[in-house]
Amino acid sequence: KLIQFHLLPTFVSTANFDTLSNPVRTQAGDDTFRLGLNVTSSGNQVNLTTGIVNATVGGTVYTDRQLAVYQVDKVLLPRDFFVAKPPAPAPAPEKAKASSSKKKSADNDVVAGDDDSASAASVKQRCLVSVPVAVATIIVALFSW
């Protein structure tokens, strides 16, 4: 992503930097908060800012009017590398099930046909398989250490 952050998807000549709309899209992605690159141009000077780094275009290394390589005085570090990403949204709550169709017995066992009991049995089965695998992995790691 760091290299892609230094690439623009279209050819931009030094004379056209002032026509770019900020934030400029890079090959790293479209998220303008995390991957925003702002370009300002004044005369022959072109400045780039990411919110973390301010850099200056020092000159043209290569151009053939389809591709341009510019010298930049600093590595452009996207905000994405330094700002914590927001947590993933919580899953949507499940719809409430009708309480009259599900009854519990006196010893709190769930009545057959309850979806929750099938899920609980599935979790128990996975745990019964996971614990021996984890123990075996630890034993193998200790012997190979």
Side-chain angles (χ1 to χ4, degrees):
K1 281 218 178 227
L2 183 61
I3 293 172
Q4 290 176 329
F5 188 66
H6 287 74
L7 301 173
L8 301 182
T10 58
F11 172 78
V12 179
S13 69
T14 53
N16 291 340
F17 273 111
D18 60 347
T19 65
L20 295 174
S21 297
N22 288 320
V24 176
R25 185 173 127 13
T26 67
Q27 290 295 94
D30 292 331
D31 189 336
T32 57
F33 175 74
R34 293 178 28 234
L35 300 167
L37 175 65
N38 291 311
V39 178
T40 55
S41 177
S42 176
N44 290 337
Q45 185 170 358
V46 178
N47 297 316
L48 310 167
T49 185
T50 67
I52 302 295
V53 173
N54 296 323
T56 303
V57 174
T60 304
V61 175
Y62 173 83
T63 186
D64 65 2
R65 306 233 181 253
Q66 293 179 355
L67 171 73
V69 179
Y70 298 107
Q71 179 182 355
V72 181
D73 66 346
K74 295 179 186 171
V75 174
L76 302 175
L77 300 173
R79 195 175 313 167
D80 186 36
F81 286 21
F82 300 95
V83 176
K85 295 174 182 73
E94 293 183 23
K95 293 181 181 179
K97 298 177 183 175
S99 61
S100 62
S101 66
K102 296 177 187 169
K103 296 181 182 179
K104 294 188 177 186
S105 65
D107 61 354
N108 290 333
D109 288 338
V110 178
V111 176
D114 188 353
D115 291 338
D116 292 336
S117 65
S119 297
S122 175
V123 169
K124 287 179 186 175
Q125 288 172 344
R126 279 189 245 138
C127 287
L128 290 175
V129 172
S130 299
V131 170
V133 170
V135 171
T137 303
I138 292 170
I139 291 171
V140 169
L142 287 174
F143 281 113
S144 63
W145 186 45

